[in-house]
C-alpha cells in the first residue's frame, strides 16, 4: 500500500462527516484515536523508500554474461575461455559449471559431470540476484541439465540466450551424447536468440547430413532456423579446401556470408567458445545481433593472429591468448619497468632519409646504434607511410627489447599504441603531454621538446618524464628550428624539475661542450646525423658514448 493511501486511512480517524451529528464523547474518542507519531513514522518510511529508489536508479548497471558451460583444466576453452573473452570485451562474466574436464593440448582425458541438482542451485544463485543480461551456453552434457537450464530461464528471463551447441571439442573429443539432441531441438533452440554450431554440430542437429560447401552451410542454417532460434550462425572453420574462414549467418530473412583471413596456426583450441561468448558480450553491451557477430568474428581473428607463434603445451592444438598480452609480457621482462633518467645518456633519433641514403633499413640502423652504445632510441620517421612505419616499429621494438633499451615514437601516439612502444616524444605543436599520458597510461615514457622555462614548467605540470631541450646548435634535420645555444640550455635545465636531454646539431665536435655544463639534471645528448648520416653507425655511437659518459663523470666530480 502506498504511503498516501495509508496516511489517508490514518487521517480518517479525525475526519468528521458534517452531515452527521457527533456527541462530545464520540468527538473525544476520534481525536484521541489520531496518532501523530504514526503519521510521522509513515512519512519517514516513505522518504526512505523514495531515497532507496533514487539510489538504486543512480547505480550503473554493468553488462553481465552468465556462462553455463564445462570447465577446461587447460584453460583454452569452456568456462575459462568465456571468462577471458568477456574480460577482454569489458563485460562482467559469472559462471555455472556443468562439468569438470581433465584436458590439455593433447586432448580430453576425463569428464566429471556436475549433478543436476547442483547445477540448478548455481543457476538460482546467480539468476535470482545478479541482474544477468545474457546467458551463453556451452557444454550441456545431459538431458537433465538442459531441462534444469530451460526451467531456470523460464523462471528468470534474460535479454538474450546464446547457444553454442558443444558436442565435440575442436580436437575431436565427444563431449555430449546423442541423447541430448532431441532436448536441444525441443526446448533450447526455440528459446535461443542465436545458435552457433560448427559443421559437425550442425550436421548432428540435422541428423548427420554432410556439409562440404558454402551452399550446404546455407541450407543447414535455414533448416536449423526452422527449429526455433531467431538467428543461426553456421561456422565453416573446418570447411574442406576453403582458402579463408567463412561463416553463414541467417536471421530468417537474409543470408550473410562472413569471411575472414584463415590464420595458419595450431593455437586454435577454444575458438567456438570464444566466438559465442564474444557475441554474448557484445549483446550485453547493447549491440544488435549481426554487428555483434561481426565484432566477435573480428575479435577471434585478431586473437588467433596474435597468438599464432606462442607455444603452450606439447599437443597438436594449443590455446590462444584472449587478452593479446602474453608476448608483450615476455618482452617486457627483458627491460626495466620504470623510466631511468640515465637512459638519456646517448639518445639516438632515427632519420629515414639518412637511412635511405646509406641503403640500410631502420631496423639495421637501430641495431647498430644500440650495439655501439645508444641507451635510448626514438623513431622519427616523418616520410614513412603509416602501415610501413608500424611494421618497422614492431621490428625495431624487438631489437630494443632484446637489448633492454627503451624505444619511443616521435609524435605518433597511434603508432606507439599499436606497437606497444615504451613511450612517445612530442613537440610543442603536437599532442599535449597530458593527453598523450591519458592515452598511453602511467607506465609509458613521455618526453617533450622545450625551448623556454615556460615550456619546461608546463611539461612537468602535464606529467612528462623528461624534456628534450634545443636546438642547442643549428641543424639540417629540422627546418626553421631556432637555436637556444648553451646559455639557453642552461636556462631550461635550471628551470626544469625534470631530467633534460640536449638536442640539436650535436656531434663528436661539440658533445663534450654540452656535457661540460655540469648541471645535475642534464642527463645526456640526443643525436641524429652524427649517428645515422655516417658510414658506420656502430663505431660513431661507441665514440659518442665514451665521450659523453666520461665528460659527464668529470663534470660531476668538478661540481
Amino acid at each position: 500500500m502506498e504511503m498516501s493511501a495509508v496516511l489517508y486511512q490514518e487521517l480518517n480517524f479525525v475526519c468528521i462527516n458534517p452531515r452527521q451529528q457527533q456527541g462530545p464523547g464520540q468527538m473525544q474518542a476520534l481525536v484521541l484515536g489520531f496518532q501523530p507519531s504514526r503519521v510521522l513514522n509513515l512519512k519517514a518510511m516513505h522518504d526512505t523508500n523514495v531515497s532507496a529508489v533514487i539510489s538504486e536508479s543512480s547505480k550503473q548497471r554493468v553488462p553481465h554474461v552468465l556462462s553455463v558451460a564445462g570447465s577446461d583444466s587447460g584453460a583454452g576453452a569452456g568456462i575459462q575461455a568465456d571468462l577471458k573473452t568477456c574480460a577482454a570485451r569489458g563485460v562482467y562474466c559469472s559462471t555455472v559449471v556443468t562439468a569438470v574436464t581433465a584436458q590439455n593440448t593433447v586432448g580430453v582425458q576425463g569428464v566429471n559431470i556436475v549433478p543436476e541438482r547442483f547445477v540448478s542451485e548455481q543457476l538460482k544463485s546467480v539468476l535470482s540476484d545478479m541482474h544477468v543480461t545474457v546467458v551463453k551456453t556451452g557444454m550441456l552434457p545431459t538431458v537433465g541439465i538442459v531441462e534444469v537450464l530451460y526451467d531456470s530461464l523460464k523462471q528468470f528471463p534474460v535479454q538474450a540466450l546464446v547457444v553454442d551447441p558443444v558436442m565435440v571439442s575442436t580436437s575431436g573429443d565427444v563431449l555430449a551424447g546423442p541423447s541430448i539432441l532431441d532436448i536441444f531441438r525441443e526446448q533450447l533452440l526455440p528459446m535461443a536468440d542465436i545458435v552457433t554450431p560448427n559443421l559437425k554440430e550442425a550436421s548432428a542437429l540435422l541428423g548427420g547430413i554432410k556439409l562440404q560447401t558454402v551452399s550446404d552451410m546455407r541450407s543447414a542454417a535455414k533448416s536449423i532456423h526452422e527449429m526455433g532460434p531467431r538467428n543461426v550462425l553456421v561456422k565453416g572453420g573446418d570447411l574442406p579446401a576453403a582458402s579463408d574462414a567463412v561463416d553463414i549467418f541467417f536471421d530468417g530473412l537474409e543470408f550473410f556470408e562472413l569471411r575472414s583471413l584463415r590464420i595458419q596456426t595450431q593455437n586454435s583450441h577454444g575458438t567456438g567458445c570464444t566466438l559465442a561468448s564474444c557475441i554474448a558480450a557484445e549483446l550485453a553491451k547493447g549491440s544488435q545481433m549481426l554487428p555483434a557477430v561481426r565484432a566477435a568474428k573480428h575479435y577471434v581473428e585478431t586473437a588467433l593472429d596474435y597468438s599464432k607463434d606462442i607455444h603452450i603445451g606439447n599437443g597438436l592444438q594449443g590455446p590462444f591468448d584472449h587478452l593479446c598480452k602474453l608476448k608483450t609480457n615476455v618482452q617486457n621482462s627483458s627491460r626495466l619497468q620504470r623510466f631511468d633518467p640515465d637512459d638519456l645518456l646517448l639518445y639516438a633519433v632515427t632519420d629515414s632519409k639518412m637511412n635511405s641514403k646509406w641503403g640500410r633499413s631502420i631496423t639495421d640502423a637501430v641495431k647498430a646504434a644500440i650495439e655501439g652504445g645508444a641507451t635510448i632510441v626514438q623513431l622519427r620517421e616523418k616520410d614513412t607511410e603509416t602501415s610501413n612505419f608500424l611494421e618497422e616499429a614492431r621490428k625495431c621494438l624487438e631489437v630494443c627489447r632484446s637489448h633492454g633499451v627503451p624505444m619511443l615514437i616521435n609524435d605518433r601516439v597511434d603508432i606507439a599504441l599499436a606497437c606497444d612502444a615504451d613511450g612517445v616524444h612530442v613537440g610543442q605543436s603536437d599532442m599535449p603531454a597530458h593527453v598523450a599520458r591519458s592515452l598511453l597510461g602511467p607506465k609509458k615514457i613521455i618526453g617533450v621538446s622545450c625551448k623556454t622555462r615556460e615550456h619546461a614548467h608546463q611539461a612537468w605540470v602535464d606529467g612528462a618524464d623528461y624534456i628534450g631541450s634545443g636546438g642547442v646548435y643549428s641543424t639540417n634535420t629540422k627546418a626553421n628550428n631556432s637555436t637556444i645555444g648553451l646559455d639557453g640550455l642552461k636556462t631550461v635545465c635550471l628551470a626544469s624539475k625534470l631530467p633534460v636531454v640536449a638536442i640539436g646539431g650535436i656531434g663528436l665536435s661539440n658533445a663534450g661542450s654540452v656535457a661540460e655544463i655540469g648541471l645535475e639534471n642534464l642527463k645526456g645528448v640526443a643525436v641524429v646525423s652524427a649517428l645515422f648520416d655516417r658510414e658506420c653507425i656502430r663505431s660513431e655511437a661507441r665514440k659518442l658514448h665514451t665521450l659523453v659518459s666520461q665528460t659527464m663523470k668529470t663534470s660531476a666530480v668538478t661540481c
Side-chain angles (χ1 to χ4, degrees), residues 4 142 152 167 220 262 345 513 526:
S4 55
T142 67
S152 296
M167 299 169 193
R262 184 179 290 276
L345 180 71
S513 299

Side-chain angles (χ1 to χ4, degrees), residues 220-248:
K222 186 174 182 180
S223 297
I224 293 171
H225 186 270
E226 291 171 356
M227 297 178 186
R230 279 163 281 291
N231 301 275
V232 179
L233 180 70
V234 178
K235 300 173 294 189
D238 298 323
L239 196 66
S243 58
D244 51 8
V246 56
D247 300 336
I248 296 298

Side-chain angles (χ1 to χ4, degrees), residues 525-542:
V525 298
V527 290
V528 187
S529 57
L531 279 184
F532 298 108
D533 199 14
R534 298 292 185 272
E535 183 176 2
C536 184
I537 295 173
R538 187 179 292 102
S539 63
E540 296 300 315
R542 190 174 294 118

Side-chain angles (χ1 to χ4, degrees), residues 155-466:
Q155 184 179 0
F156 303 103
V158 293
Q159 290 183 19
L161 172 62
V162 177
V163 174
D164 182 20
V166 177
M167 299 169 193
V168 180
S169 73
T170 318
S171 56
D173 295 285
V174 177
L175 300 175
S179 60
I180 70 165
L181 286 173
D182 288 340
I183 197 75
F184 259 74
R185 298 188 192 102
E186 294 168 7
Q187 291 192 352
L188 205 57
L189 295 190
M191 185 182 278
D193 290 274
I194 185 170
V195 58
T196 62
N198 60 27
L199 295 182
K200 293 176 182 177
E201 292 157 351
S203 175
L205 287 170
L206 296 173
I209 64 170
K210 291 185 178 181
L211 305 178
Q212 297 181 318
T213 66
V214 173
S215 178
D216 292 340
M217 292 170 64
R218 286 173 174 261
S219 298
K222 186 174 182 180
S223 297
I224 293 171
H225 186 270
E226 291 171 356
M227 297 178 186
R230 279 163 281 291
N231 301 275
V232 179
L233 180 70
V234 178
K235 300 173 294 189
D238 298 323
L239 196 66
S243 58
D244 51 8
V246 56
D247 300 336
I248 296 298
F249 176 81
F250 182 57
D251 62 4
L253 297 174
E254 293 183 80
F255 289 98
F256 296 86
E257 199 169 292
L258 308 178
R259 292 182 177 269
S260 61
L261 183 67
R262 184 179 290 276
I263 308 299
Q264 299 301 322
T265 178
Q266 289 185 327
N267 299 323
S268 59
H269 179 52
T271 48
C273 305
T274 300
L275 183 74
S277 56
C278 188
I279 293 171
E282 295 305 309
L283 293 175
K285 291 189 287 187
S287 175
Q288 297 298 309
M289 186 61 73
L290 182 56
V293 172
R294 291 187 187 277
K297 190 169 174 65
H298 177 70
Y299 167 69
V300 171
E301 178 188 359
T302 301
L304 284 174
D305 185 53
Y306 177 88
S307 310
K308 60 188 176 185
D309 299 321
I310 65 174
H311 181 73
I312 299 174
N314 300 313
L316 295 177
Q317 191 171 53
F320 58 94
D321 180 8
H322 294 75
L323 301 176
C324 296
K325 292 286 187 182
L326 292 178
K327 290 195 293 187
T328 300
N329 291 338
V330 170
Q331 292 166 346
N332 284 350
S333 65
S334 65
R335 65 186 176 94
L336 294 175
Q337 296 299 309
R338 295 180 59 188
F339 170 60
D340 184 353
D342 290 337
D343 286 338
L344 299 174
L345 180 71
L346 183 56
Y347 192 133
V349 183
T350 67
D351 186 286
S352 56
K353 290 182 179 178
M354 295 176 189
N355 288 324
S356 297
K357 171 184 173 181
W358 292 96
R360 55 198 171 211
S361 68
I362 303 172
T363 310
D364 289 340
V366 166
K367 187 173 185 291
I370 292 173
E371 290 174 347
T375 52
I376 188 169
V377 172
Q378 180 191 136
L379 299 191
R380 188 170 66 125
E381 301 298 319
K382 300 290 187 181
D383 302 319
T384 306
E385 291 190 6
T386 296
S387 58
N388 294 333
F389 189 7
L390 178 57
E391 183 179 354
E392 291 297 330
R394 285 171 171 159
K395 292 177 182 177
C396 289
L397 188 62
E398 289 184 14
V399 173
C400 290
R401 293 272 168 88
S402 68
H403 289 81
V405 172
M407 189 191 86
L408 312 187
I409 305 293
N410 179 263
D411 297 352
R412 298 288 300 272
V413 175
D414 58 332
I415 297 291
L417 281 167
C419 73
D420 192 36
D422 296 302
V424 294
H425 185 94
V426 294
Q428 290 297 315
S429 60
D430 300 321
M431 179 182 292
H434 72 273
V435 177
R437 174 67 70 203
S438 67
L439 293 170
L440 294 173
K443 295 183 179 179
K444 298 298 184 181
I445 303 168
I446 295 179
V448 181
S449 296
C450 298
K451 290 181 179 292
T452 67
R453 297 177 179 181
E454 292 75 20
H455 289 167
H457 177 71
Q458 190 61 50
W460 176 73
V461 170
D462 286 348
D465 294 293
Y466 74 91

